[in-house]
Amino acid sequence: MKTLIIAEKPDMGRNIAAAIEPKAKNMRSHLEGEQYIITWAIGHLIELAEPDHYDEKYKKWNINHLPIIPSEFKLIPNPRTYDQLKVIAELAKKCNQLVNACDAGREGQHIFSLIQRHLGLNQPVKRLWISDLTSETIRNGFATLKDGAEYENLTRAARSRSEADWLIGMNGSRAFTTKHNVLLSVGRVQTPVLALIYDRQKQIEAFSSLKFYELEGHFAQGETPYRGMWQGERFTDGEKAAALASKVKGKPARIQSYEVKETKEFPFKLYDLTLLQREANGKYAFSAKKTLDTAQALYEKHKVISYPRTNSNYVTEQNIPDMHKALNALQGTAYNELVQGANRNLVHINNKFICNPTKVEDHHAILPTNKKASGLSPDEQKLYDLIVRRFLSQFYPPAAYKVHTVMTEVEQELFKTTVKELLSLGWKVIYADQKKEKAKATKGKEKEDTDDEEEVEVNEPFSIDANGDVLCTDAIVKEKDTQPPKHFNEGTLLKAMESAGKQIEDEELRDAMKDSGLGTPATRAATIERLKKVGYIDMQGKKIILTQKGRMVVELIRGAGIELLTSPEMTGQWERRLNEISRGTASDDQFMHNVKRFATLIVDKVRKQARASKTDFEGENAPEATGKRGTASTKTTARGDGAPKATAKKRAPAAKPAGDGASTFIAMCPRPGCGGSLFMGRKGYGCSHYKEGCSFVIWKESFGRSLTDTQVQALVQKGKTTKLKLVLDDGTETEGKIVLKDVATGVLGTE
């Protein structure tokens, strides 16, 4: 009999067939060769059953029916992919061994496990665990297949994650929705992430700006000019600062102390997924989801990078030869000059900045493979370039600097000067052609983040005679304002999620926190997208803005006395426990026992809470009161955190007149002769005269964007938005303006 290989997606199945059964017959739903039959799962074929599969009464959302805690979770096939599940069942009958070739991670393990459980497959299982999809790696992986039993703990962790998310999502969302008569989504991970955004917003609102003054001294020793910042308490009185400037200006000075030391800057660490998402957001404004999707395409479709869903910045001893092969493969490409300057002796098993097996669990850092890249889209090329340059930098020496620290005294006042003199670029030569672009991109950040920046970087030699005469040629008072905390963007939010909200700059501490972050590298992008979809956050450019609905959800949860549900630290500890389960050092039964207790606590607390007013949810409509409140579907997300996902037939958003207080006025309806007003509904912007037959509606999700109120106002009043990054119907990514093509219906186009 043959061996049945189950991959996670068709592309991966075909890659495997090409490597180990190149003559396999293509049967559309599978490939069959002499030794192997290769098929695929198309993601999650099996789901946790909805509550109504346990009892018909759960079809109606009723707080008196809560908590819903199944004694045994039921599995049901996904109806959209049921045919493929039947294919796997039939193929399994012809095979005496299975190979789990789903993605090498917790969710890939879960997908295979659900199929195995639901179909009752009892054949022996082998596990394919590889980090890239090149033919060589696939063949090596099959030559060293692991026993499926070795991954039983990972299966337990995956199952616990899924069932815990179901319990918190189903019970939390149903409890808050039925209590407050507004569809509210609650989740094990999404809610504490929302709380991070809420707390930052409150800090911004509570901030009171203060004016202060800095004094910059300008000095000269012979032909050498330099600047220094006055050392003392921050000035809040401009007159005092001006008086001090007058006191020192034009006066002789002396060098109180002069210290010179050489320093080195080593290359940045190799990318894990979260770090890649953060940098792609900062440099290219890619969303976390876009970076993940693009990285997946580089991995699956083009096979030019290793497995991207990793949380490690290091490699193991086995990866060092692969890094050297990848370097050789870059010869003759656009990176050829950088390859020629690379020092291969710097990448070896004893270089702990690169090779640290203790910090590699499921997968090593993201690396280019030895396959030459071709046919990449512009966005794929941008991400590939980030990965390749980070990889190449490991083959270069550290950048070397001489740091000069000068303390200058004038009229008994001290000024400090720090000059960073470049000795050799080292690895920074990798980014030399991007220097101007990089400086432009970081200019605003430096202005905002470094109010009292004293360090100046220079390329030419700098030196001072510690005993020479100095003159204070000028003294300038700079007026500044204290700055509020910054709104999160997706990059900074990912960083906060990784450290469970703790402000951690130290890289070693950041590594230590990875086990207890919010979600995993594979799920964080989906969590952010989920918060957008349920209307809890909006985007203003790169800034993440909390909506009124998002604000209200956090306040209701905390007001009910369930602070733990919004606690990033607590949720981070849950993630740590799941990681411990996967290593066999914690009990999944104990974990689930605690989750069930917490789900019950949530329901008990919400039951006692007073109902919120409809007007508290600005711009949002309650579920329709048809006598079957809350009968919307609540399927749990495949890779998300289990918060129910309401689905409804596509219709014009139920925007209510201003008198209802349930929606936010946007603009007058542009439909000729209508006279109605536009309001923001759950899925779009509709007219208050919809009952009178006005069909004008602008859908919020248009051309790959979630439109903001300001953009809709621009469409209505000016006929077009400003220039935006768009996704056309055929999937093409471009830049352009969204235009209002039809003022009668709200149909949009692009320009």
Side-chain angles (χ1 to χ4, degrees), residues 687-708:
C687 180
S688 59
H689 286 183
Y690 72 98
K691 288 184 179 177
E692 287 78 44
C694 181
S695 59
F696 185 93
V697 57
I698 293 176
W699 297 107
K700 194 166 188 175
E701 300 292 331
S702 298
F703 300 106
R705 298 194 65 87
S706 183
L707 296 179
T708 65

Side-chain angles (χ1 to χ4, degrees), residues 351-598:
N351 183 345
K352 295 305 176 187
F353 287 102
I354 302 170
C355 184
N356 192 337
T358 63
K359 294 188 177 182
V360 180
E361 290 191 13
D362 293 344
H363 292 281
H364 57 72
I366 303 172
L367 300 171
T369 66
N370 57 13
K371 187 177 187 298
K372 280 186 164 60
S374 63
L376 303 186
S377 71
D379 286 340
E380 289 169 346
Q381 181 59 50
K382 286 176 182 175
L383 205 66
Y384 181 67
D385 184 68
L386 282 179
I387 294 164
V388 169
R389 287 179 189 265
R390 182 60 61 93
F391 164 79
L392 286 171
S393 69
Q394 311 303 311
F395 290 88
Y396 277 75
Y401 293 90
K402 197 181 277 186
V403 179
H404 305 258
T405 306
V406 185
M407 298 298 290
T408 306
E409 183 183 350
V410 52
E411 294 294 304
Q412 297 182 320
E413 303 293 342
L414 275 181
F415 291 80
K416 182 179 180 181
T417 303
T418 306
V419 176
K420 191 175 177 183
E421 176 192 345
L422 178 67
L423 299 178
S424 63
L425 268 176
W427 62 272
K428 291 189 177 182
V429 72
I430 300 288
Y431 301 95
D433 61 330
Q434 300 181 335
K435 200 168 185 182
K436 288 181 182 176
E437 177 190 340
K438 203 170 183 183
K440 185 178 177 183
T442 58
K443 187 177 180 183
K445 183 181 176 187
E446 288 172 0
K447 187 177 179 181
E448 291 174 358
D449 288 351
T450 56
D451 283 332
D452 54 356
E453 182 62 63
E454 297 174 353
E455 186 174 271
V456 178
E457 189 168 327
V458 297
N459 294 332
E460 61 280 348
F462 175 87
S463 67
I464 290 287
D465 179 359
N467 300 311
D469 293 333
V470 178
L471 178 67
C472 179
T473 58
D474 202 355
I476 297 173
V477 175
K478 294 184 175 182
E479 182 181 302
K480 296 190 176 184
D481 294 300
T482 54
Q483 297 296 309
K486 292 173 182 59
H487 286 280
F488 281 116
N489 57 44
E490 290 202 25
T492 55
L493 182 59
L494 285 166
K495 184 178 181 181
M497 291 171 74
E498 188 176 47
S499 58
K502 294 185 185 298
Q503 297 300 312
I504 295 174
E505 298 302 327
D506 183 89
E507 288 298 315
E508 290 301 315
L509 283 177
R510 191 175 81 85
D511 282 344
M513 282 297 297
K514 283 186 176 182
D515 269 0
S516 51
L518 297 179
T520 66
T523 61
R524 286 176 189 137
T527 299
I528 296 173
E529 292 302 309
R530 175 83 184 136
L531 292 173
K532 295 176 189 175
K533 190 171 286 187
V534 297
Y536 290 167
I537 61 173
D538 274 333
M539 301 301 295
Q540 282 186 6
K542 286 171 66 174
K543 286 195 300 189
I544 296 173
I545 304 298
L546 186 72
T547 66
Q548 177 60 21
K549 186 178 182 182
R551 180 190 297 264
M552 196 62 195
V553 168
V554 176
E555 290 177 355
L556 284 174
I557 292 171
R558 288 177 172 167
I562 322 170
E563 291 86 352
L564 283 180
L565 188 54
T566 65
S567 166
E569 191 168 16
M570 178 66 178
T571 307
Q573 291 303 318
W574 282 24
E575 199 64 51
R576 179 186 288 272
R577 190 55 46 86
L578 287 169
N579 282 313
E580 289 171 350
I581 292 169
S582 71
R583 297 183 200 118
T585 58
S587 163
D588 52 326
D589 288 340
Q590 184 60 47
F591 174 80
M592 291 306 300
H593 174 72
N594 291 336
V595 171
K596 290 171 184 176
R597 284 177 56 197
F598 188 51

